[in-house]
């Protein structure tokens, strides 16, 4: 089993345990903020299932019907997770507003405070593990799952703080107000996740920092070609697709071109992880001028 599948299963197990604990304590204490956290964790659990199945499907090799592979399934899973987060936040706001006008007393806030601290601690360690794997494997689905749990850490701490203030002051209105703040935070999380997941589906270019690494890789072999143009990049799941046109000297042989192409491809893959590079070679005519690089040593692209 891959690292991505292993951490996705870890997320499923931890979320399932926390959901049961939060719902039980939420109903015992009558705290809408704890119940809202249980709902948030339920969405996290559903997102963990989506992430688990998406990383398994995206790992399938290209075939006749999908010659470019299945990597974009991870991006689609991110969109699904966004919808789940959005629905959870709307439900939390509805329940919190209802309690604002139909107040009920929260009992045993100390128990709720303890449960929220345990939840924050568990999610902190699980999300840290997910982020580590997401970075090493370049997985959007796992990164989205880690973002869910990271948000859960903050919201659990927020609920714990609200219950602590309620415990000290006795102001029951703090409970639904904290729940509404949690919902607003979750909505912000949903927007960020949507932007991160949707971009690759419409073939948005790679981030500027990766483009700079890409250009540095090409620049190492600046003496072997005339110019680089029509540089295009996009991301599909964890795979970064790069294509470009290179103009080579008029007298360069096919063997020399292939050798240069192989070196540039290796340099790019060493600098930018998980890339698939395609270079179109174009011979320069006898009278072409070499733009190569400008005064700032930037590529002619």
């Amino acid at each position: 089993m891959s690292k991505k599948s292993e951490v996705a299963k870890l997320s499923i197990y931890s979320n399932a345990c926390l959901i049961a604990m939060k719902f039980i304590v939420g109903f015992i204490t009558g705290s809408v903020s704890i119940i809202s956290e249980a709902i948030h964790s339920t969405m996290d659990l559903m997102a963990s299932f989506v992430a688990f199945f998406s990383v398994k499907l995206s790992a399938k090799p290209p075939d006749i019907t999908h010659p470019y592979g299945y990597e974009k399934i991870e991006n689609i899973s991110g969109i699904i997770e966004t919808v789940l987060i959005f629905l959870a936040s709307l439900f939390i706001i509805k329940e919190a507003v209802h309690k604002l006008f139909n107040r009920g007393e929260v009992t045993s806030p100390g128990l709720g405070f303890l449960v929220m601290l345990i939840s924050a601690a568990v999610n902190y360690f699980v999300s840290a593990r997910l982020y580590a794997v997401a970075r090493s494997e370049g997985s959007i689905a796992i990164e989205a799952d880690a973002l869910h749990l990271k948000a859960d850490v903050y919201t659990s701490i927020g609920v714990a703080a609200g219950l602590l203030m309620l415990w000290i002051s006795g102001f029951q209105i703090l409970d639904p107000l904290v729940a509404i703040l949690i919902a607003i935070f979750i909505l912000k999380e949903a927007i960020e996740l949507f932007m991160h997941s949707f971009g690759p589906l419409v073939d948005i270019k790679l981030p500027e920092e990766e483009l700079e690494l890409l250009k540095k890789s090409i620049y190492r072999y600046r003496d072997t070609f005339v110019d680089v143009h029509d540089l295009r990049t996009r991301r599909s799941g964890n795979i970064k697709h790069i294509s470009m046109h290179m103009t080579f000297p008029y007298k360069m042989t096919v063997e020399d071109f292939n050798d240069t192409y192989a070196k540039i491809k290796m340099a790019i893959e060493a600098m930018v992880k998980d890339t698939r590079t395609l270079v179109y070679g174009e011979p320069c005519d006898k009278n072409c001028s070499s733009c190569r690089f400008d005064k700032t040593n930037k590529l002619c692209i």
Side-chain angles (χ1 to χ4, degrees), residues 201-266:
L201 291 176
V202 292
D203 292 335
I204 192 171
K205 69 176 184 177
L206 295 180
E208 286 300 325
E209 55 268 23
E210 290 187 321
L211 286 176
E212 287 303 314
L213 290 175
L214 169 62
K215 292 176 183 180
K216 286 180 182 179
S217 302
I218 301 170
Y219 179 74
R220 290 173 55 187
Y221 298 93
R222 60 191 179 278
D223 295 329
T224 62
F225 55 84
V226 177
D227 73 7
V228 177
H229 54 278
D230 292 337
L231 175 65
R232 295 184 176 92
T233 63
R234 65 184 178 90
R235 181 168 179 161
S236 177
N238 67 314
I239 303 298
K240 306 172 187 72
H241 295 269
I242 301 164
S243 68
M244 70 193 80
H245 289 247
M246 277 189 175
T247 305
F248 290 90
Y250 175 72
K251 294 184 179 181
M252 178 176 278
T253 64
V254 174
E255 289 79 11
D256 288 338
F257 163 72
N258 286 334
D259 181 60
T260 300
Y261 166 69
K263 290 178 180 177
I264 291 173
K265 186 173 182 293
M266 289 179 62

Side-chain angles (χ1 to χ4, degrees), residues 11-247:
S11 179
I12 290 171
Y13 295 147
S14 65
N15 273 317
C17 293
L18 291 176
I19 288 167
M21 183 173 63
K22 288 176 183 178
F23 269 122
I24 291 170
V25 175
F27 286 121
I28 289 174
T29 61
S31 170
V32 70
S33 60
I34 295 178
I35 293 174
S36 70
E37 260 298 281
I39 294 168
H40 185 197
S41 294
T42 302
M43 295 299 106
D44 288 346
L45 178 60
M46 294 174 69
S48 296
F49 275 111
V50 171
F52 177 72
F53 288 111
S54 70
V55 296
K56 289 179 73 68
L57 289 173
S58 65
K60 291 173 62 177
D63 53 33
I64 295 175
T65 56
H66 295 80
Y68 290 98
Y70 292 81
E71 290 90 2
K72 282 192 176 182
I73 288 175
E74 289 203 24
N75 301 97
I76 295 172
S77 76
I79 298 296
I80 295 172
E81 292 180 42
T82 299
V83 174
L84 293 175
I85 295 172
F86 184 76
L87 292 176
S89 62
L90 292 182
F91 185 82
I92 291 169
I93 290 174
K94 174 181 174 293
E95 291 299 309
V97 170
H98 175 76
K99 188 166 185 180
L100 276 175
F101 295 99
N102 301 273
R103 296 180 189 175
E105 185 176 350
V106 176
T107 60
S108 304
L111 175 61
F113 174 77
L114 178 61
V115 166
M116 287 299 101
L117 287 185
I118 293 172
S119 174
V122 171
N123 282 324
Y124 174 80
F125 288 109
V126 176
S127 64
R129 175 60 180 158
L130 287 170
Y131 269 122
V133 173
R135 284 192 292 267
S136 65
E137 300 294 321
S139 172
I140 291 177
I142 297 300
E143 184 180 349
D145 200 11
L147 181 60
H148 279 282
L149 297 185
K150 180 182 178 182
D152 219 356
V153 172
Y154 295 131
T155 54
S156 294
I157 292 173
V159 172
L163 289 171
L164 180 61
M165 288 187 290
L166 188 155
W167 194 7
I168 295 171
S169 67
F171 293 149
Q172 296 293 325
I173 196 173
L174 288 172
D175 187 52
L177 287 178
V178 168
I180 291 173
L181 290 175
I182 290 170
I184 294 172
F185 182 87
I186 296 171
L187 279 174
K188 177 179 175 292
E189 173 193 356
I191 293 170
E192 291 176 352
L193 180 56
F194 177 82
M195 297 300 294
H196 189 60
S197 302
F198 185 73
L201 291 176
V202 292
D203 292 335
I204 192 171
K205 69 176 184 177
L206 295 180
E208 286 300 325
E209 55 268 23
E210 290 187 321
L211 286 176
E212 287 303 314
L213 290 175
L214 169 62
K215 292 176 183 180
K216 286 180 182 179
S217 302
I218 301 170
Y219 179 74
R220 290 173 55 187
Y221 298 93
R222 60 191 179 278
D223 295 329
T224 62
F225 55 84
V226 177
D227 73 7
V228 177
H229 54 278
D230 292 337
L231 175 65
R232 295 184 176 92
T233 63
R234 65 184 178 90
R235 181 168 179 161
S236 177
N238 67 314
I239 303 298
K240 306 172 187 72
H241 295 269
I242 301 164
S243 68
M244 70 193 80
H245 289 247
M246 277 189 175
T247 305

Side-chain angles (χ1 to χ4, degrees), residues 267-284:
I268 291 172
E269 292 174 353
M271 292 284 279
V272 184
K273 191 179 178 182
D274 298 321
T275 57
R276 292 178 184 170
T277 307
L278 182 61
V279 177
Y280 299 92
E282 298 175 352
C284 179

